[in-house]
Structure formats: C-alpha cells, structure tokens
C-alpha cells in the first residue's frame, strides 16, 4: 500500500523532472505558430511553470520554479486543495514532461476553449493534452506585448469539443527570447508556403530556402 508520503514524494520528483525539461527546452524561448495566414507567438516564462503543475504553494511562482529546477523543492513546499487535488497533479505531470512536444510536432490550434472558469482564446493540443494560453497583460488588464503565455495544462479528450474551432498548424518557428527574429523552423507542412505576413518576424533565409 502506497502511503501519502510516498505519493507526495512521487509528485515532488515529477515536478523536479518537469522543471529540468522545461528549463532545457522551453524557458527563455518563444515559438511562432502559423496556420494559414494567421499566427501567434508563445513565450514560455519561468513564472508560468507553477500554473502547469496542478499544485499549490506558499512560494512565489519564481521561487517555486527555481527550487524545482535545482532539485531543492521539498514536499512541504507544495500542497493540494479541492481546486487543485492530488489526482489532477498525478494526471498532469507526465504530460508536463512531454510539453516540448507541443512546440516540436504537428499540433492543432483550438479557438475559444471554454472551461469551468475561463475562456481561452487560443490553445494548442496534440489531442492527448492541451495547453491553454492567455494574453500577456498586467494586473490592470493592460496588454504588455503580443505574446501569449502558458496558463493551463489540461489532460482530457474533450478540449476539442469545448472549442469553437480548430486548425492544424502549418509551421512552428523557434528562437531565444532575446533574439529579434525567429531563426529555427521546427515544424513544417512541406505542401504549404510560408505566408508573406510573417516576413518581419522570421529570418529572411527561410524565404530563400522555400524557393
């Protein structure tokens, strides 16, 4: 029989493992998703890692991530509530380890996904799990920039049903957040051409290669 302590220690280890993957593959990077003539950018902030774990903590989001990344997160630094129960964290964390798949494989963009508490204008899914995105706004609701931020990781097959529409991405570009233009093409539908309306966002070489 697995004890409560053993269960919580398993969650702790999964959070630490997820932080290592997040740090290596996502933190400090931005991704440009293109579908048809439409596009949006996602920035993976370290302050949003906590939102994806399914646990609650008395630490700041930044300190929680730092402790997890360093492997110093202790079992008494996070807890479960009715809103964030153990069962949800147990279900989310294996998918959190796989989160880079949503930036490196062909995915579906969902529009207006309605949950019990929030409407996500945009979400990204591989049909196994879904990343809900929110606009980057300040505490007064003022838009800071055009980036979307990861806010919720949902592990269910009903995300598509809860959305108004969905489209398969044609391209995903990547770059370090400090760079001005995207310099890596990580997902490509070879039957599609790169649209002209993102020319200012990506390295000009991508258009030369496409010819």
């Amino acid at each position: 029989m697995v004890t409560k302590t053993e269960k919580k220690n398993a969650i702790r280890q999964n959070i630490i493992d997820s932080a290592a993957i997040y740090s290596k593959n996502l933190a400090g990077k931005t991704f440009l998703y293109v579908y048809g003539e439409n596009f949006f950018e996602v920035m993976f902030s370290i302050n949003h890692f906590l939102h994806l774990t399914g646990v609650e903590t008395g630490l700041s989001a930044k300190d929680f991530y730092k402790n997890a990344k360093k492997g110093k997160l202790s079992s008494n630094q996070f807890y479960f509530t009715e809103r964030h129960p153990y069962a949800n964290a147990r279900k989310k964390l294996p998918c959190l380890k796989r989160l880079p798949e949503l930036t490196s494989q062909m995915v579906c963009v969902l529009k207006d996904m309605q949950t019990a508490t929030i409407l996500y204008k945009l979400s990204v899914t591989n049909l196994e799990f879904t990343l809900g995105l929110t606009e980057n706004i300040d505490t007064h609701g003022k838009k800071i920039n055009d980036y979307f931020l990861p806010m919720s990781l949902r592990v269910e097959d009903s995300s598509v049903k809860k959305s108004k529409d969905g489209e398969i991405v044609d391209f995903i570009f990547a770059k370090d957040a400090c760079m001005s233009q995207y310099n890596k093409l990580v997902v490509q539908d070879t039957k599609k051409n790169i649209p002209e309306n993102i020319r200012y966002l990506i390295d000009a070489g991508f258009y030369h290669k496409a010819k």
Side-chain angles (χ1 to χ4, degrees):
M1 187 74 175
V2 181
T3 66
K4 287 185 178 180
T5 298
E6 289 172 331
K7 287 181 178 180
K8 197 169 188 187
N9 283 337
I11 293 293
R12 171 186 171 274
Q13 190 58 53
N14 275 319
I15 292 173
I16 289 171
D17 293 343
S18 297
I21 293 168
Y22 193 92
S23 173
K24 180 181 178 181
N25 299 281
L26 301 173
K29 294 182 173 62
T30 63
F31 296 84
L32 172 64
Y33 291 79
V34 183
Y35 51 106
E37 294 294 318
N38 300 301
F39 63 91
F40 60 92
E41 297 176 87
V42 179
M43 176 173 63
F44 284 87
S45 162
I46 62 173
N47 290 340
H48 282 72
F49 174 78
L50 171 61
H51 292 296
L52 309 178
T53 62
V55 304
E56 296 203 25
T57 181
L59 299 173
S60 68
K62 187 174 183 179
D63 286 340
F64 180 89
Y65 173 76
K66 280 185 175 181
N67 285 4
K69 179 184 173 185
K70 294 176 181 178
K72 294 181 178 181
L73 186 73
S74 66
S75 294
N76 63 5
Q77 288 179 326
F78 66 91
Y79 55 94
F80 310 107
T81 62
E82 186 176 337
R83 185 184 175 196
H84 292 107
Y86 162 79
N88 278 7
R90 184 173 179 270
K91 188 168 60 173
K92 284 174 183 263
L93 286 166
C95 296
L96 183 53
K97 292 181 187 178
R98 295 173 54 194
L99 191 59
E101 292 177 25
L102 298 185
T103 66
S104 60
Q105 298 179 12
M106 197 67 75
V107 293
C108 183
V109 176
L110 302 179
K111 302 173 186 177
D112 295 334
M113 181 179 72
Q114 181 68 63
T115 71
T117 56
I118 191 171
L119 175 70
Y120 291 98
K121 290 183 179 179
L122 291 171
S123 304
V124 178
T125 184
N126 61 2
L127 303 184
E128 288 186 65
F129 52 92
T130 302
L131 183 66
L133 306 170
T134 59
E135 292 181 296
N136 191 15
I137 57 176
D138 62 22
T139 54
H140 302 289
K142 185 177 180 181
K143 198 172 182 180
I144 297 173
N145 54 39
D146 291 329
Y147 288 124
F148 281 81
L149 304 173
M151 183 58 69
S152 175
L153 183 62
R154 308 185 67 81
V155 186
E156 53 185 46
D157 58 4
S158 61
S159 293
V160 174
K161 295 178 182 177
K162 293 178 179 178
S163 304
K164 286 187 177 179
D165 193 14
E167 294 189 45
I168 303 297
V169 297
D170 299 325
F171 305 93
I172 301 177
F173 295 87
K175 70 178 179 69
D176 289 334
C178 60
M179 298 187 68
S180 59
Q181 291 187 311
Y182 289 88
N183 61 340
K184 296 176 184 176
L185 176 58
V186 289
V187 172
Q188 177 182 18
D189 182 340
T190 56
K191 300 186 292 294
K192 303 287 182 67
N193 293 320
I194 300 173
E196 286 291 327
N197 64 341
I198 65 166
R199 182 178 285 272
Y200 72 101
L201 289 170
I202 66 175
D203 189 288
F206 289 119
Y207 287 98
H208 299 315
K209 293 173 187 175
K211 292 180 180 179

